[in-house]
Amino acid sequence: MKREDGRTPDQLRRIKITRNFIKYAEGSCLIEVGNTRVICTASVEKNVPHFLRNTGRGWLTAEYRMLPRATHTRTSRDRVSGRTMEIQRLIGRALRSIVDLDKIGERTITIDCDVIQANGGTRTASITGGFVALVDCMHTLVRRQEIEALCVSDLLAAISVGSWQGTPLLDLTYLEDSQADVDMNVVMTETGQFVEI
């Protein structure tokens, strides 16, 4: 079976990551997965949520948005849907799983994932790109002598899988995702640990 973009069922789309994409962020990249493009930035603030104050522990959170014309129709900038909230939480949980928050001090790292063009797999691209931005952010903090080491326990990436017209597929496009019999996202570490399914 050949897919709309000519790939075999078990073939990933071409992935391109441009690091240091945003000048002012502590870490950033543009991740391109086929025709899906996401700008990921990692920003550091010297404060933490109320429940972590005076604990010496840091925090990592994520925000996710689609630009108004990232898809076929315009989406309002002000609309934060339940889907958006769910994706933000997924990105944050995934990245917190490989960060030692006790070693970053009382600071918050925010991973912003801005989808500039969507063609399926925006949340998995955001997790993978968010990881790259996070690691570069950690390098910046080490260089500034704000932390002693990277505080990252493993490498992390995510991908979608599904079944479309009775065929198992890896890395679904929008067309495949929208017509899939079933689909899911898999987040794993380099050492083979499942973080989330």
Side-chain angles (χ1 to χ4, degrees), residues 20-82:
N20 304 310
F21 191 73
I22 300 294
K23 177 180 179 179
Y24 303 107
E26 282 82 3
S28 69
C29 74
L30 168 67
I31 182 167
E32 301 172 74
V33 181
N35 288 320
T36 291
R37 295 184 178 106
V38 185
I39 298 171
C40 301
T41 58
S43 303
V44 180
E45 296 175 281
K46 292 186 178 177
N47 58 50
V48 290
H50 182 72
F51 68 93
L52 286 172
R53 286 189 191 142
N54 303 315
T55 65
R57 194 162 201 254
W59 186 242
L60 185 146
T61 188
E63 292 190 13
Y64 167 97
R65 294 287 189 285
M66 281 204 193
L67 270 105
R69 280 315 301 264
T71 60
H72 297 286
T73 57
R74 185 181 188 280
T75 305
S76 171
R77 286 183 192 273
D78 299 329
R79 195 176 112 209
V80 179
S81 67

Side-chain angles (χ1 to χ4, degrees), residues 7 14 16-17 23 49 51 69 80 82 87 110-111 120 123 141-142 153 166 172-173 185-186 188 193 195:
R7 290 181 293 143
R14 181 177 180 271
K16 179 182 177 187
I17 299 175
K23 177 180 179 179
F51 68 93
R69 280 315 301 264
V80 179
I87 293 171
T110 301
I111 307 296
R123 71 188 73 195
L141 292 174
V142 169
S153 62
L172 283 70
T173 63
N185 302 297
V186 179
M188 288 185 74
Q193 300 299 308
V195 172

Side-chain angles (χ1 to χ4, degrees), residues 11 52 63 88 103 119 125 132-134 137 155 194:
Q11 187 177 8
L52 286 172
E63 292 190 13
Q88 290 179 170
K103 292 184 179 173
N119 186 33
V132 172
L134 172 64
C137 172
L155 303 181
F194 284 98

Side-chain angles (χ1 to χ4, degrees), residues 102-196:
D102 291 321
K103 292 184 179 173
I104 66 170
E106 287 198 24
R107 55 180 52 89
T108 296
I109 299 174
T110 301
I111 307 296
D112 285 294
C113 302
D114 294 294
V115 179
I116 58 175
Q117 186 169 284
N119 186 33
T122 60
R123 71 188 73 195
T124 55
S126 295
I127 291 168
T128 303
F131 174 75
V132 172
L134 172 64
V135 169
D136 283 348
C137 172
M138 293 280 189
H139 279 290
T140 298
L141 292 174
V142 169
R143 196 169 50 252
R144 292 179 184 169
Q145 299 182 341
E146 294 182 34
I147 60 175
E148 292 181 12
L150 293 187
C151 310
V152 174
S153 62
D154 209 341
L155 303 181
L156 183 82
I159 196 69
S160 64
V161 294
S163 177
W164 185 65
Q165 297 181 351
T167 303
L169 298 180
L170 181 67
D171 190 16
L172 283 70
T173 63
Y174 172 76
L175 176 67
E176 294 163 344
D177 183 81
S178 64
Q179 298 176 4
D181 303 319
V182 64
D183 73 294
M184 66 179 183
N185 302 297
V186 179
V187 186
M188 288 185 74
T189 65
E190 183 189 33
T191 54
Q193 300 299 308
F194 284 98
V195 172
E196 188 136 356

